[in-house]
Amino acid sequence: MRRVLLWMILALLPLGATAQEAAPARATAAILTVTDAAGVRHRLTREDLAALPQTAFTTTTVWTEGAQEFQGVTLLTLLDHLSAPAGRLVLSAANGYRVERRMEELLPEAALLAYLRNGAPMSLRDKGPVWLIYDFDGDPKYRTEVIYANSIWQLDRIEIAE
Ligand SMILES: Nc1nc2c(c(=O)[nH]1)N[C@H]1C(S)=C(S)[C@@H](COP(=O)(O)O)O[C@H]1N2
Ligand SMILES: [Mo]
């Protein structure tokens, strides 16, 4: 009986791994969950983000080689779309990294929730699916420790408090 169970688990293992790797590419899978101040959870897919006004820029970063094009939605655009007034935000990444910030500290009009890098989705290994990123080359004011610390890769959750 036990042996049968073991074989069943072993048989399922490769499937499980395949499914996990395929998940980020599925258009219907939520890549970012935003919980608003009322506790309502908004699960956003790549398609949801693509339907909003887009922002793109090309910049170098201290974490990548050469100029990179990032495309996505600014934090301001997203919060406006959700009609979610924000005082404080807790932003969490898949690797456990977590930042709590007052809205102004994030520069919401400049903070890009990028879901495409050089035109392609970013895998978890490639700092995706969402990377909160700034146009570092566009303005030296973004090249500060606070903004670097705001530049959360593998971002998957935002919790809003008024
Ligand atoms: N997901 C995730 N994003 C992150 C971090 C992290 O550990 N995980 N570190 C942050 C901090 S504190 C800084 S200063 C910058 C730079 O981190 P690095 O010096 O490790 O490259 O990335 C930020 N984004
Ligand atoms: Mo940091």
Side-chain angles (χ1 to χ4, degrees):
M1 183 60 192
R2 229 180 235 169
R3 206 167 1 166
V4 172
L5 205 66
L6 180 67
W7 277 112
M8 281 171 71
I9 290 166
L10 286 176
L12 284 170
L13 272 177
L15 276 178
T18 307
Q20 249 179 359
E21 272 167 36
R26 262 194 295 137
T28 48
I31 59 171
L32 182 65
T33 301
V34 181
T35 308
D36 67 25
V40 178
R41 228 182 255 182
H42 306 269
R43 293 174 207 276
L44 301 159
T45 65
R46 226 175 272 288
E47 282 177 338
D48 294 331
L49 293 175
L52 296 174
Q54 302 290 294
T55 299
F57 49 72
T58 298
T59 184
T60 61
T61 86
V62 295
W63 309 281
T64 48
E65 288 273 330
Q68 307 288 318
E69 195 212 25
F70 293 97
Q71 184 187 319
V73 174
T74 66
L75 185 59
L76 186 66
T77 297
L78 181 70
L79 295 178
D80 279 352
H81 167 70
L82 298 177
S83 306
R88 275 181 316 108
L89 291 99
V90 178
L91 305 114
S92 312
N95 71 340
Y97 181 77
R98 185 173 173 274
V99 162
E100 184 168 349
R101 290 277 188 270
R102 279 149 42 76
M103 179 75 160
E104 327 65 279
E105 295 173 308
L106 289 161
L107 309 179
E109 70 295 338
L112 184 68
L113 295 157
Y115 62 94
L116 292 175
R117 174 149 77 104
N118 302 322
M122 292 170 277
S123 67
L124 201 56
R125 201 178 277 202
D126 189 27
K127 291 186 158 45
V130 178
W131 190 352
L132 184 64
I133 197 90
Y134 296 81
D135 186 3
F136 300 107
D137 290 353
D139 196 320
K141 78 175 179 192
Y142 304 131
R143 302 201 284 266
T144 68
E145 265 315 309
V146 171
I147 298 299
Y148 288 143
N150 291 351
S151 303
I152 306 156
W153 52 82
Q154 301 176 327
L155 177 69
D156 61 6
R157 261 173 307 140
I158 300 176
E159 279 138 34
I160 300 170
E162 272 181 63

